[in-house]
Amino acid sequence: MSGRGIVHQPGMEPLARAIEAEAKALGTRAFLVGGYVRDRLLGRDCKDVDVVAEKGLGTQLAEAVGRRLKVRRPVVFERFGTAQLDVLEFVVEFVSARAESYAADSRKPDVRPATLDDDMRRRDFTVNALMADADGNVLDLTGRGLDDLQAGLLRTPMPAAQTFAEDPLRAVRAVRFAVALDFAMHEEIPPAIRANLDRLQSVVSVERVNDELRRMLLGVRPGRAIGLLCETGIADRLLPEVTAMAGVEQTGFHHLDVLQHSLAALDSVAARAGPQLEPALELRLRLGMLFHDTGKPATAQRDAGRVTFLGHPEVGAGTAVSALRRLRFSNDEVDDVARLVALHMRPIQYL
């Protein structure tokens, strides 16, 4: 990791300069923030760029940058006060510095203009609250982001109990970031996640959960991500069909219980040699691997010291259909995954 500055990846410099120039023309300041800054400090490329502007001028800045770079006008999301601009290979989201408060029965915030300090404190994790100017100079307004990045630690800017109560989807994001970045969670985070599981289940839309699951499953270690969902209690609420496999004994050539075997197999698929499929097909393959043995808990029988699971592919296919429909996967995805699960024993049976 570099020190207190970043080196822009190829193609980013003109965009950063345009943001700087147009912010100055509007009489405000704007900074790159979040994943782009974090990933550049870690030496990684990032195509999703977030920009935060002072004085409530995020949308106006997006319009001005689009005109300057002669690209298509930004898509403005009035409800969220954001604007999205496509520039070359980058997807740039502009937002005004803001503070948020939440009602007990909703994760939709009441938004009001605020300072950059307020804006950084309301973000999910300190490593995602780092800002950089056009020259690559990094600002760490939480005072912990750079140290946490160096230490490989996921920590919330505010007390974790408050951060996760405000937006319980951050529980799922915490798992995704911890695995994707290979970071440890700060000790406050797991209990804060568990304390807000009811809220996660009641106020977060299925579509948002679906999006996070897709990202996890297409990550480098999807088995580890699902395992961490289980360890934190999240999977009990979102994927009970998966946690039902825990502790189900297997005999013969298996040395792990059904859940640990499934997670290891999922990571093996992700780590396999050779090129991966296109993302849409890769996702189906990984979902199939995750659900391939979900029929075993219901079909487990002990016979003369052996554990058998007769009919588990067909039962597992039905389990996959029920779970994936509940999680709002598309009909085509559900059908393909169910077929993979139903047929997954065929190669062995032909030997």
Side-chain angles (χ1 to χ4, degrees):
M1 189 183 77
S2 64
R4 300 187 65 88
I6 62 172
V7 176
H8 291 304
Q9 67 193 65
M12 186 64 191
E13 184 76 22
L15 173 58
R17 292 301 175 193
I19 293 169
E20 178 185 48
E22 293 301 331
K24 184 177 180 180
L26 287 169
T28 189
R29 294 189 304 166
F31 296 90
L32 306 170
V33 65
Y36 177 81
V37 180
R38 179 199 68 222
D39 286 353
R40 293 309 295 158
L41 285 166
L42 293 172
R44 303 179 180 187
D45 284 347
C46 181
K47 303 297 186 183
D48 295 322
V49 179
D50 293 323
V51 177
V52 60
E54 293 181 308
K55 300 182 181 180
L57 294 172
T59 300
Q60 294 92 318
L61 179 60
E63 296 274 4
V65 171
R67 289 192 297 270
R68 186 183 189 92
L69 296 177
K70 296 181 173 59
V71 297
R72 183 176 296 178
R73 290 189 64 184
V75 177
V76 177
F77 303 94
E78 296 285 356
R79 177 180 170 187
F80 302 103
T82 64
Q84 183 175 296
L85 191 68
D86 293 333
V87 182
L88 298 176
E89 71 269 33
F90 300 102
V91 178
V92 191
E93 183 169 291
F94 292 78
V95 64
S96 300
R98 66 189 195 226
E100 299 174 342
S101 59
Y102 293 79
D105 61 348
S106 174
R107 65 175 293 270
K108 296 181 176 65
D110 176 36
V111 177
R112 62 187 184 280
T115 66
L116 287 172
D117 288 276
D118 292 331
D119 191 279
M120 294 308 109
R121 281 196 295 271
R122 60 104 184 158
R123 291 178 180 261
D124 51 7
F125 306 109
T126 59
V127 297
N128 292 339
L130 295 167
M131 302 190 302
D133 62 19
D135 294 322
N137 300 309
V138 173
L139 289 78
D140 182 6
L141 296 184
T142 71
R144 292 176 171 176
L146 286 169
D147 288 344
D148 288 344
L149 199 66
Q150 184 70 50
L153 183 66
L154 207 61
R155 186 204 309 257
T156 55
M158 300 293 287
Q162 177 180 340
T163 296
F164 288 99
E166 287 182 346
D167 185 355
L169 184 64
R170 288 167 173 164
V172 188
R173 287 170 58 82
V175 169
R176 177 164 63 84
F177 281 125
V179 175
L181 299 173
D182 196 20
F183 278 18
M185 290 184 184
H186 187 272
E187 62 183 10
E188 289 185 358
I189 289 181
I193 288 175
R194 294 187 185 96
N196 287 284
L197 290 175
D198 287 344
R199 187 162 162 75
L200 170 64
Q201 201 167 18
S202 64
V203 305
V204 176
S205 71
V206 176
E207 290 77 11
R208 294 300 302 275
V209 170
N210 181 297
D211 180 63
E212 290 294 331
L213 289 176
R214 288 172 184 273
R215 295 186 185 197
M216 283 185 200
L217 287 165
L218 289 174
V220 176
R221 293 187 299 161
R224 173 57 185 147
I226 301 299
L228 194 52
L229 288 179
C230 294
E231 292 172 26
T232 55
I234 297 171
D236 287 332
R237 305 304 183 94
L238 304 183
L239 291 166
E241 300 84 359
V242 171
T243 57
M245 296 188 287
V248 178
E249 179 189 4
Q250 301 188 100
T251 54
F253 57 85
H254 288 292
H255 66 284
L256 300 170
D257 72 14
V258 178
L259 175 61
Q260 294 305 316
H261 157 75
S262 298
L263 301 184
L266 182 54
D267 274 343
S268 293
V269 166
R272 70 190 185 277
Q276 292 184 345
L277 302 169
E278 62 178 90
L281 296 179
E282 186 70 29
L283 178 67
R284 288 164 165 79
L285 175 62
R286 297 187 186 193
L287 281 167
M289 186 58 76
L290 176 61
F291 282 93
H292 81 280
D293 275 349
T294 52
K296 283 187 172 180
T299 58
Q301 297 286 332
R302 183 171 288 277
D303 181 18
R306 294 177 61 249
V307 180
T308 63
F309 305 98
L310 298 179
H312 80 271
E314 294 78 14
V315 173
T319 300
V321 168
S322 176
L324 296 177
R325 283 180 177 167
R326 185 184 70 247
L327 292 167
R328 306 284 175 81
F329 284 85
S330 72
N331 289 336
D332 286 346
E333 289 169 328
V334 173
D335 291 345
D336 288 348
V337 173
R339 186 169 178 80
L340 285 173
V341 174
L343 300 179
H344 81 269
M345 291 293 291
R346 296 294 177 91
I348 296 174
Q349 292 166 345
Y350 286 142
L351 293 177

